[in-house]
Amino acid sequence: MSNPLSTASSKAPEAVTGLAAVVGFLVLVEVASGILQGYYTPIYPQIAEHLSISEGDVNWFEAAQLIVSALCIPLLARLGDLSGHKRVLLVSTAVTALGSWWLAFAPTFTTFLVGWAIQGAYVVWLPLEIAIIHRRTRRSGRQELLTRRGAAILVGSLELAVIVGALSSGLLVDTLDMNLLLALPAVVVTAVFFVILFGIEQAPGDDTGGIDWTGLALVTVALGVLMGGLVWLRLDGAGSLLGWGTIALSVAVFAAFWRFELQHPEPIVDVRLLSSPAQWPVQVTAFLFGIPVLGGQIPLSTYAQADPAERGYGLGAEPAFISTLIGLYVVTLAIGAFTLPLTTRLLGGVRRALVVACCLVGLGYLLWLPFNSETWQALVNMGIAGLGSGALVAALPAAAAAAAPPERTGIATGMTNGTKTVGGAIASAVFAIALTATGSLDATSEQVAPFGGYLTVWAVCAGASFLAAAALLAAPKHAFSDRPTSSAIPG
């Protein structure tokens, strides 16, 4: 495959043609990502039964995966800027395949937790893909516009694949052995490894230098201590001095990490870039958006399958019908992603489109508080939230890339997923606490989530979304504007 950036005579039409071919292969990667993200949601209660754990403890799988993903993102994004984004995309796909196969044969809570965490390497796929698109469009004269359009196509494809994954697992859960059922996503991820290997050309990295291992160690310790504090709160309740003390210690470690990164010439996380006026609103928005879009998934699935005759709440839906609900919800995500270029024009700019998207997500979750007893209410609530979520998933990495120098696009786009993932991980742990009736971590205990816990989940998701809209309003107006790119940038 020819590279439209390989010669100085490359023209804009050639760049766009080359981009179309690259996006076509990357769409297949996002199809695999969508299947991973949709496949497990309808069968969380069945996975809990398979492992003999309570539905509240399923949230710890999500929390563990999101924490590992958050740690992978800065390292893999940095490696992408140094050695080339395709090479790192291949490595992360191989790790994801390993985790997916592990899940298929994991027999216990602990082993499944390990496999689920390893599988989280896929979280870096979309940022790396957008970095590839951003690089390929430098000579087009429309770099930011084409990057947003490419991101919209990728995210729209991802969301449609989520539907395929959700419908597949929901329909197959009653007919296949659980081990075989869990092996199907592993087959898909293994296949996409070869799509990347043969379909995407390798390009050199734009940045130079090394890896800040000390910074990576500090942020690892900080996140680990934070999650430890949340576990203690889970065990001992909200009054646990040990839990709150551990969380305070994690804040101190985060502060030490931030100071260290400010002084490091080649930081694992470029905190100067992320704290710049054009970047921090995007990253804060990504963090807050992670709370509903990642942390809120499992509670929605378990609530929908709860039997109102037994618990006094829930929709009493079967797994196959949950798949249909998820499918209809994800259609709205795809619509939000695909129509992002149109809504941007209609609303007069990227920032306004993002603010409206955040408000839609907040409104959707806010409606759960009074309207939570009927299926049609769930569809309306999640349809509204889905329109905003699809736009945000597509727009945030592109907005971060637009506000970053060329040699930092990988880390800028990666950190939108990183901060989103950290937000989702913290939310998953907090929601696990909210949805637990007792403090026991005994895998054989029967625990029923209190209805007040679900109300807490929805209120937190709504509040985080409205705070994200406020953060975007604090960004400078020029932060999301298309900027002409120089053809002198080496390819």
Side-chain angles (χ1 to χ4, degrees):
M1 182 183 298
S2 62
N3 183 348
L5 298 175
S6 62
T7 67
S9 61
S10 297
K11 304 298 183 183
E14 297 175 15
V16 175
T17 301
L19 174 66
V22 170
V23 170
F25 286 111
L26 295 179
V27 161
L28 297 178
V29 182
E30 285 308 299
V31 167
S33 178
I35 289 174
L36 286 179
Q37 294 181 51
Y39 193 83
Y40 302 99
T41 304
I43 59 173
Y44 280 135
Q46 287 70 34
I47 292 175
E49 182 180 354
H50 173 66
L51 298 173
S52 300
I53 61 175
S54 70
E55 64 182 35
D57 284 331
V58 177
N59 288 273
W60 292 102
F61 291 133
E62 195 77 356
Q65 184 182 89
L66 293 173
I67 283 294
V68 173
S69 298
L71 294 173
C72 286
I73 286 172
L75 175 61
L76 294 179
R78 174 65 175 157
L79 287 173
D81 287 336
L82 290 173
S83 62
H85 300 113
K86 174 197 172 175
R87 185 174 290 119
V88 177
L89 191 58
L90 275 174
V91 171
S92 63
T93 304
V95 174
T96 303
L98 172 63
S100 300
W101 284 111
W102 190 315
L103 291 179
F105 302 102
T108 65
F109 176 92
T110 302
T111 54
F112 200 92
L113 182 66
V114 172
W116 195 275
I118 293 174
Q119 190 192 54
Y122 79 86
V123 75
V124 81
W125 288 355
L126 183 61
L128 288 173
E129 292 160 12
I130 292 176
I132 290 172
I133 294 172
H134 196 262
R135 186 181 192 281
R136 290 296 300 265
T137 54
R138 286 179 186 168
R139 301 181 187 276
S140 66
R142 297 180 295 160
Q143 187 179 35
E144 321 311 341
L145 176 63
L146 291 176
T147 300
R148 283 200 301 272
R149 288 180 177 175
I153 293 171
L154 292 179
V155 173
S157 303
L158 180 153
E159 302 302 351
L160 292 176
V162 170
I163 299 174
V164 174
L167 291 176
S168 299
S169 63
L171 292 173
L172 295 173
V173 66
D174 292 327
T175 59
L176 293 182
D177 173 78
M178 181 58 73
N179 296 111
L180 179 58
L181 184 71
L182 294 175
L184 296 181
V187 174
V188 174
V189 177
T190 303
V192 88
F193 174 87
F194 295 99
V195 170
I196 300 169
L197 181 64
F198 298 112
I200 306 295
E201 84 279 14
Q202 173 63 28
D206 289 317
D207 206 357
T208 59
I211 301 296
D212 171 22
W213 295 108
T214 302
L216 182 62
L218 281 172
V219 73
T220 300
V221 171
L223 288 171
V225 173
L226 173 62
M227 295 306 295
L230 291 171
V231 169
W232 281 115
L233 289 179
R234 161 79 157 85
L235 290 170
D236 298 339
S240 171
L241 293 178
L242 179 59
W244 288 113
T246 305
I247 291 174
L249 177 61
S250 74
V251 173
V253 180
F254 273 116
F257 162 74
W258 189 275
R259 288 195 300 269
F260 180 83
E261 295 295 89
L262 282 173
Q263 300 171 2
H264 200 284
E266 297 168 351
I268 190 69
V269 176
D270 192 341
V271 296
R272 292 186 185 277
L273 172 65
L274 299 186
S275 60
S276 65
Q279 279 285 341
W280 77 257
V282 177
Q283 302 298 338
V284 169
T285 297
F287 173 85
L288 293 169
F289 176 51
I291 293 174
V293 79
L294 297 177
Q297 287 184 357
I298 291 177
L300 285 173
S301 176
T302 56
Y303 180 86
Q305 295 192 53
D307 187 351
E310 295 180 1
R311 302 192 187 184
Y313 68 81
L315 303 179
E318 296 295 326
F321 187 66
I322 290 293
S323 298
T324 303
L325 292 176
I326 293 171
L328 293 174
Y329 162 62
V330 173
V331 166
T332 64
L333 269 77
I335 293 172
F338 280 129
T339 59
L340 176 62
L342 174 62
T343 55
T344 298
R345 288 197 301 271
L346 291 176
L347 294 172
V350 178
R351 181 169 67 166
R352 290 182 181 178
L354 290 175
V355 169
V356 170
C358 289
C359 291
L360 286 173
V361 176
L363 176 61
Y365 278 94
L366 193 63
L367 288 173
W368 272 103
L369 297 177
F371 305 115
N372 52 57
S373 59
E374 301 290 340
T375 300
W376 69 266
Q377 294 172 341
L379 289 174
V380 171
N381 298 346
M382 296 315 299
I384 294 172
L387 288 172
S389 297
L392 287 169
V393 172
L396 287 174
E407 71 277 8
R408 287 288 190 266
T409 55
I411 190 64
T413 58
M415 286 312 297
T416 58
N417 257 24
T419 52
K420 181 176 72 177
T421 300
V422 171
I426 294 172
S428 291
V430 172
F431 294 164
I433 296 170
L435 295 175
T436 301
T438 70
S440 173
L441 281 176
D442 181 6
T444 63
S445 62
E446 291 293 333
Q447 301 175 11
V448 175
F451 179 60
Y454 286 105
L455 294 177
T456 299
V457 169
W458 298 326
V460 170
C461 289
S465 302
F466 290 125
L467 284 176
L472 288 169
L473 291 174
K477 292 183 178 180
H478 62 78
F480 306 112
S481 301
D482 290 341
R483 302 190 307 270
T485 56
S486 171
S487 60
I489 297 174

